[in-house]
């Protein structure tokens, strides 16, 4: 249930539940007066076609904000109860009451102690282009029994020009209970943002965190390739996964659409089908290949490949490793190299890795080398990846030594085959020679955890605090509009996140501060911060003329993610038994939470 409490100028007022917070409590009160009535926008489609600016009267600082990446993200991407509540608010005359909601999560995913915040850009794009078309309004009317036409007129005038959004920058490392977004505005409008915002943030943050965990276990030096499009939950799942895996630390994707939309580097070679589609070398008709410098042409590249394979077979150091290779596989590799001589990378496990795939690949790579090209490497997609990668590296190094081919032993070995965080960790413990991991299903589906569980809770309305109580203490909300800070210690690591009342003085560098667990009385600690960072920044300011934060390019968000993860204390990051990061409230906010809780919780009676 939601209940309200009372606050006094020097702390908590215990005498009354009915009060004017603006007059009695500058410590927690809102500094924002009621904004002007929301103006009516043109239909969403017309606005996007004209490229009109987002903001009051089409004016705003900075660039025009495009609509969401997915055109299905409209105001109808909502739970029905958001519209039933909006109608009930309207019927009660409450639709314009100024409300404050927090969007946060309660527990870090995957058994870890950190989360990566993602999805903010898409929320702001949705907000900036929010309005209902006549067709959508007609559908809402038909879905609400007894809906009055005047409510439809109200919906036609809705936009987000009277909404403000404060958020932690996207790509930040975040923790439970700390608001990721604070949304302020008319209660009916803000309720219509709840489901879309949760939808846009829950999966984005979950998969970005999954990607960051894979990056942590793989290490900084390895290439991480997202290969999940075919196994993702639908087209939007595939596109979102590619974007947010890149944000979380992956290097490239196989998803061409995501590469086009977001500028993510693309990687990919061929499948087993390409290899098995060839029957013999006779199928290759055009055998000519121009040298890399363009000065000469090899008229019969196929014969050159066969000559190189003979050299490998006659090599003393590789004697006994293989005898006859699969010639259809050799034909496939040769054909692929003719198509992509500058980026030749082959899948070598269609028939037998060490007896056919590796020797055939090396023959083609040597032939390319004679024409001035350098093969990229191989991909392993089955079997014992630790053993095969080690043996493949030995094979490459033996050719480099015996045939005097510089850097042949340094070719990239990519591993795929249903990898996840645990298998990469196991490979590291076994020892391997893999340079790049192609990870798909377990990454993009977040197989280890289905959802993050973000929630959207009312914390204040008309300057009056609200709290949700529950027998499960983890579901008790933290009331009132708050400010949030990250406190850093002497070694430069973050020590604790602290929430305060809106008008409390901010923590100061070098000044001792008591940090309290929101709900556990015995958990408290003094902190002397060496650096203080306020987390919530304004990304949407409605009708106000003040500047707001600009949406950043994906690469900058990715860089923030990587930098913040590197700056976390190692014990918070480890896979097994990580140390929980501390999230706290100020002493005054703690007292207020518990006064409100104790004052409003029903008292039981024993018989």
């Amino acid at each position: 249930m939601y209940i309200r409490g009372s606050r006094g100028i020097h702390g908590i007022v215990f005498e009354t539940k009915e009060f004017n917070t603006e007059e009695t409590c500058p410590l927690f009160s809102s500094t924002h007066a009621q904004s002007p009535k929301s103006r009516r926008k043109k239909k969403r489609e017309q606005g996007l076609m004209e490229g009109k600016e987002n903001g009051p009267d089409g004016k705003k600082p900075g660039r025009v904000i495009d609509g969401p990446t997915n055109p299905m993200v409209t105001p109808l991407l909502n739970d029905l109860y958001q519209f039933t509540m909006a109608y009930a608010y309207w019927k009660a005359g409450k639709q314009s009451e100024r409300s404050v909601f927090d969007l946060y999560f309660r527990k870090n995913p995957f058994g870890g102690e950190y989360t990566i915040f993602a999805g903010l850009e898409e929320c702001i794009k949705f907000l900036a282009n929010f309005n209902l078309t006549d067709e959508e309004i007609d559908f809402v009317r038909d879905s609400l029994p007894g809906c009055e036409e005047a409510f439809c007129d109200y919906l036609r005038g809705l936009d987000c020009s009277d909404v403000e959004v404060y958020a932690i920058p996207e790509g930040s490392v975040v923790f439970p209970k700390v608001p990721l977004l604070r949304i302020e505005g008319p209660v009916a409008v803000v309720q219509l943002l709840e489901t879309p915002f949760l939808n846009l943030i829950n999966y984005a943050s979950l998969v970005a965190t999954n990607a960051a965990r894979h990056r942590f276990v793989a290490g900084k030096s390895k290439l991480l390739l997202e290969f999940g499009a075919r196994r993702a939950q639908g087209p939007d799942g595939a596109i979102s996964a590619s974007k947010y895996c890149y944000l979380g630390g992956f290097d490239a994707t196989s998803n061409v659409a995501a590469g086009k939309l977001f500028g993510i580097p693309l990687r990919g070679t061929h499948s087993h089908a390409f290899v098995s589609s060839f029957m013999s070398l006779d199928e290759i008709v055009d055998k000519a290949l121009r040298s890399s410098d363009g000065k000469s042409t090899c008229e019969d590249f196929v014969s050159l490949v066969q000559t190189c394979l003979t050299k490998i077979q006659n090599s003393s150091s590789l004697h006994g490793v293989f005898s006859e290779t699969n010639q259809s596989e050799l034909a496939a590799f040769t054909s692929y190299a003719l198509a992509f001589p500058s980026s030749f990378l082959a899948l070598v496990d269609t028939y037998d890795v060490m007896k056919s795939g590796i020797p055939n690949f090396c023959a083609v790579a040597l032939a390319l080398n004679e024409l001035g090209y350098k093969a990229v490497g191989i991909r392993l997609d089955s079997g014992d990846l630790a053993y095969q990668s080690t043996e493949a590296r030995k094979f490459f190094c033996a050719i480099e030594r015996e045939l005097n081919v510089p850097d042949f032993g340094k070719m990239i070995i990519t591993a795929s085959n249903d990898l996840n965080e645990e298998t990469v960790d196991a490979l590291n413990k076994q020892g391997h020679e893999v340079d790049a991991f192609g990870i798909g299903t377990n990454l993009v589906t977040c197989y280890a955890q289905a959802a993050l569980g973000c929630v959207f809770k009312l914390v204040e309305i008309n300057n009056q605090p609200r709290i949700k109580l529950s027998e499960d203490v983890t579901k008790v909300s933290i009331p009132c509009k708050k400010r949030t800070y990250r406190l850093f210690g002497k070694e430069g690591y973050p020590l604790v996140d602290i929430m305060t009342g809106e008008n409390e003085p901010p923590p100061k560098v070098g000044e001792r501060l008591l940090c309290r667990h929101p709900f556990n009385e015995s958990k408290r600690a003094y902190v002397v911060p060496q650096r203080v960072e306020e987390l919530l920044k304004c990304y949407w300011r409605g009708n106000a003329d003040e500047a707001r934060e600009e949406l950043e390019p994906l690469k900058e968000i990715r860089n923030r993610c990587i930098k913040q993860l590197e700056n976390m204390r190692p014990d918070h990051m480890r896979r097994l038994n990580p140390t929980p990061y501390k999230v706290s409230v100020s002493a005054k906010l703690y007292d207020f939470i518990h006064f409100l809780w104790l004052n409003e919780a029903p008292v039981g009676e024993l018989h």
Side-chain angles (χ1 to χ4, degrees), residues 462-488:
N462 290 337
N463 304 321
Q464 307 293 326
R466 292 294 189 271
I467 186 171
K468 178 193 178 298
L469 296 182
S470 172
E471 292 181 2
D472 181 354
V473 70
T474 63
K475 293 189 175 183
V476 175
S477 64
I478 299 177
C480 75
K481 188 190 295 188
K482 299 171 288 293
R483 298 176 74 175
T484 307
Y485 304 89
R486 183 158 294 171
L487 310 183
F488 295 79

Side-chain angles (χ1 to χ4, degrees), residues 77-202:
L77 184 65
N78 240 316
D79 292 303
L80 178 61
Y81 80 167
Q82 310 294 4
F83 284 100
T84 61
M85 285 190 290
Y87 184 69
Y89 285 134
W90 177 81
K91 285 283 288 183
K94 288 173 60 69
Q95 72 274 14
S96 297
E97 292 186 3
R98 194 75 182 173
S99 63
V100 180
F101 286 78
D102 285 347
L103 189 155
Y104 60 94
F105 62 97
R106 297 184 175 120
K107 185 178 181 181
N108 288 304
F110 309 115
E113 289 298 340
Y114 67 91
T115 300
I116 304 301
F117 173 42
L120 174 62
E121 179 187 29
E122 293 296 326
C123 288
I124 300 302
K125 286 181 173 182
F126 171 69
L127 193 78
N129 295 276
F130 181 98
N131 82 295
L132 287 100
T133 65
D134 288 338
E135 184 180 1
E136 290 168 340
I137 292 169
D138 290 344
F139 183 79
V140 171
R141 180 187 57 217
D142 294 343
S143 302
L144 298 179
C147 177
E148 298 177 27
E149 188 60 35
F151 177 67
C152 296
D153 293 336
Y154 165 73
L155 291 180
R156 289 186 183 94
L158 281 188
D159 62 14
C160 291
S161 60
D162 203 18
V163 172
E164 297 180 33
V165 173
Y166 297 80
I168 298 175
E170 189 165 7
S172 296
V173 179
V174 292
F175 304 98
K177 287 290 185 184
V178 176
L180 306 178
L181 283 82
R182 186 179 78 219
I183 304 96
E184 306 175 25
V187 63
V189 178
V190 177
Q191 292 272 206
L192 291 175
L193 301 177
E194 176 177 354
T195 300
F197 274 23
L198 290 171
N199 180 271
L200 292 168
I201 288 172
N202 261 310

Side-chain angles (χ1 to χ4, degrees), residues 8-26:
I9 193 163
H10 297 297
I12 310 305
V13 174
F14 296 88
E15 301 86 55
T16 178
K17 296 181 186 176
E18 300 299 329
F19 61 97
N20 185 326
T21 317
E22 289 288 351
E23 296 176 358
T24 63
C25 186

Side-chain angles (χ1 to χ4, degrees), residues 332-351:
F333 289 175
T334 303
S335 179
Y336 199 76
L338 284 165
F340 300 101
S342 299
S343 56
F344 176 58
L345 191 149
L347 177 62
V348 296
D349 68 339
T350 303
Y351 300 112

Side-chain angles (χ1 to χ4, degrees), residues 232-536:
Q233 284 96 336
D236 185 67
I239 294 292
S240 296
S242 298
K243 177 180 181 179
Y244 296 117
C245 286
Y246 182 67
L247 184 158
F250 271 58
D251 297 290
T253 179
S254 63
N255 188 333
V256 179
K260 179 180 182 296
L261 284 169
F262 308 120
I264 303 171
L266 293 173
R267 293 291 184 275
T269 176
H270 59 78
S271 71
H272 297 105
F274 181 82
V275 176
S276 59
S277 72
F278 285 81
M279 301 297 290
S280 74
L281 289 162
D282 295 335
E283 294 179 60
I284 301 174
V285 178
D286 186 358
K287 302 179 181 181
L289 180 61
R290 198 168 183 80
S291 63
S292 64
D293 59 12
K295 294 180 179 179
S296 62
T297 299
C298 173
E299 298 297 339
D300 192 348
F301 183 69
V302 173
S303 295
L304 180 58
V305 168
Q306 291 175 312
T307 300
C308 291
L309 181 60
T310 301
K311 286 183 183 179
I312 297 171
Q313 289 172 324
N314 294 334
S315 168
S316 58
S317 60
L318 298 174
H319 181 72
V321 175
F322 72 100
S323 54
E324 294 297 324
T325 64
N326 186 296
Q327 292 300 291
S328 63
E329 180 183 57
L330 183 63
F333 289 175
T334 303
S335 179
Y336 199 76
L338 284 165
F340 300 101
S342 299
S343 56
F344 176 58
L345 191 149
L347 177 62
V348 296
D349 68 339
T350 303
Y351 300 112
D352 188 289
V353 172
M354 295 310 301
K355 294 180 180 179
S356 183
I358 296 295
N360 280 337
F361 164 78
C362 289
V364 177
L366 284 172
L368 288 172
N369 187 76
E370 292 197 16
L371 297 177
Y373 298 101
K374 287 188 178 295
V376 175
I378 62 168
R379 179 163 71 96
L380 300 168
D381 192 46
S382 61
D384 187 334
L385 298 177
Y387 172 78
Q388 290 178 350
S389 66
T390 302
E391 292 302 306
R393 182 72 68 202
K394 290 178 183 177
F395 202 104
F396 296 162
C397 290
I399 290 178
E400 179 177 344
R401 287 192 308 271
E402 189 158 335
L403 300 182
N404 193 27
V405 185
D407 296 330
F408 201 88
K410 297 178 181 178
M411 285 190 293
I412 291 175
I413 298 175
T414 301
S416 46
N417 188 30
D418 216 21
L419 298 177
N420 58 31
E421 191 180 336
E422 288 70 27
T423 54
V424 174
D425 187 49
L427 284 169
N428 289 339
K429 291 174 180 176
Q430 294 173 50
H432 64 84
E433 287 291 335
V434 175
D435 302 294
F437 294 100
I439 307 176
T441 305
N442 290 286
L443 175 68
V444 304
T445 64
C446 295
Y447 186 82
Q449 181 169 327
L452 177 58
C454 287
V455 294
F456 194 93
K457 297 299 178 185
L458 178 70
V459 296
E460 189 170 288
I461 190 161
N462 290 337
N463 304 321
Q464 307 293 326
R466 292 294 189 271
I467 186 171
K468 178 193 178 298
L469 296 182
S470 172
E471 292 181 2
D472 181 354
V473 70
T474 63
K475 293 189 175 183
V476 175
S477 64
I478 299 177
C480 75
K481 188 190 295 188
K482 299 171 288 293
R483 298 176 74 175
T484 307
Y485 304 89
R486 183 158 294 171
L487 310 183
F488 295 79
K490 293 179 180 179
E491 297 180 345
Y493 295 126
L495 292 178
V496 61
D497 285 4
I498 184 168
M499 290 172 272
T500 72
E502 185 195 20
N503 285 352
E504 284 192 69
K508 294 182 180 179
V509 172
E511 288 192 6
R512 196 165 180 248
L513 176 70
L514 179 62
C515 299
R516 304 206 62 171
H517 188 284
F519 308 120
N520 191 322
E521 184 178 15
S522 64
K523 290 187 177 182
R524 52 189 179 169
Y526 283 106
V527 176
V528 180
Q530 302 304 302
R531 180 162 72 90
V532 176
E533 178 184 338
E534 185 162 9
L535 296 180
L536 292 173

